[in-house]
Amino acid sequence: MASSVPIFLESLMPKSWAIALKKEFKKPYFQKLNHFVESEYAEKECYPPKSKIFAAFEHCTFEDVRVVILGQDPYHGAGQANGLSFSVADGVPIPPSLKNIFREIQNDLGILTYPSGNLERWAKQGVLLLNATLTVQKGLAGSHQKMGWETFTNAVIQKINSEKKGVVFLLWGGFASKKSKLIDEKKHIVLVSGHPSPLSANRGHWFGNKHFSRVNIMLETPIDWS
């Protein structure tokens, strides 16, 4: 008998998160999302690669989450998206927003980052690099928005909020800042600033937020942001 639980997406989710989010996989919205993503990847070129849709969860287990950095959409250029918010695959030129993130780290902490824009090194320290929408069609920014991903990633935030304590949420820009309503600030820490995109950063809304040093003051074991 065929399972009513979506196999395609659920099978890609790492075990610790699959257990934590098992109720979501059975909900009607997720089954519709599963069908949509299956069809899109079968008929069109989509990013990130299918095997990396849940890379943010693969490199940062539910138990290990200490920091959440929320993005909006995967990069839609060829070879860029690797399943982590703001991150790109090894060897890919660093996008403008990530360049500004690295500049703020250097200004804030006085350290140089690695030349690679692949942020798996942060994820492995407990930084969940979560996009609100986890897939996108090539060349079409926002093409997979409002298809169910936001409901799912809101559930991820709510699960972290309800079952963990002392997580630092970094909400950059207007879209991310709206997610603060999902977070109990009596249990967790929320830091809000402008977005690191050039438009926002060059207007003075990003540089000088000192989020990276502030995170490390709040955590028992600091993150190596290099």
Side-chain angles (χ1 to χ4, degrees):
M1 181 181 295
S3 172
S4 61
V5 179
I7 298 301
F8 169 64
L9 288 175
E10 187 190 20
S11 67
L12 297 175
M13 179 63 78
K15 184 176 180 181
S16 71
W17 287 98
I19 293 171
L21 299 167
K22 60 184 178 181
K23 291 182 180 179
E24 293 303 307
F25 294 120
K26 298 179 181 179
K27 293 180 179 179
Y29 87 85
F30 193 88
Q31 296 184 40
K32 291 179 181 178
L33 172 64
N34 180 84
H35 177 73
F36 169 76
V37 173
E38 277 188 307
S39 298
E40 287 288 289
Y41 273 75
E43 299 169 7
K44 303 166 185 173
E45 187 166 356
C46 298
Y47 305 128
K50 190 185 300 184
S51 62
K52 295 191 175 184
I53 291 174
F54 291 136
F57 304 90
E58 178 183 348
H59 295 294
C60 179
T61 68
F62 181 74
E63 293 77 13
D64 289 344
V65 174
R66 300 191 289 149
V67 179
V68 178
I69 298 179
L70 186 69
Q72 187 167 1
D73 219 32
Y75 296 117
H76 54 84
Q80 289 183 299
N82 69 346
L84 310 176
S85 63
F86 297 100
S87 176
V88 290
D90 286 314
V92 174
I94 297 172
S97 290
L98 187 52
K99 284 183 180 179
N100 285 338
I101 291 171
F102 287 168
R103 279 181 61 192
E104 176 59 22
I105 291 171
Q106 184 175 357
N107 294 340
D108 184 14
L109 298 172
I111 58 175
L112 292 172
T113 56
Y114 293 115
S116 172
N118 189 338
L119 302 182
E120 289 177 7
R121 59 189 184 271
W122 295 0
K124 291 174 182 177
Q125 299 177 72
V127 181
L128 181 65
L129 294 152
L130 180 67
N131 277 318
T133 301
L134 298 185
T135 58
V136 69
Q137 186 181 335
K138 178 183 178 181
L140 293 175
S143 52
H144 288 185
Q145 291 177 5
K146 299 181 181 179
M147 300 304 298
W149 276 129
E150 295 92 339
T151 302
F152 178 73
T153 53
N154 281 351
V156 171
I157 294 170
Q158 290 168 320
K159 192 71 174 178
I160 295 169
N161 177 65
S162 64
E163 296 198 10
K164 300 182 75 69
K165 291 182 180 180
V167 174
V168 185
F169 290 83
L170 302 184
L171 307 182
W172 300 335
F175 173 84
S177 66
K178 293 176 183 177
K179 301 294 183 177
S180 62
K181 64 185 179 183
L182 303 174
I183 304 161
D184 182 354
E185 295 189 45
K186 294 179 181 178
K187 292 175 61 181
H188 304 285
I189 301 128
V190 176
L191 300 181
V192 179
S193 84
H195 196 274
S197 66
L199 182 62
S200 175
N202 293 337
R203 289 178 175 174
H205 302 308
W206 166 255
F207 293 114
N209 65 32
K210 297 188 180 296
H211 277 190
F212 303 96
S213 61
R214 291 169 70 185
V215 166
N216 282 353
I217 289 169
M218 296 166 184
L219 296 179
E220 185 175 338
T221 303
I223 303 294
D224 177 3
W225 295 110
S226 63

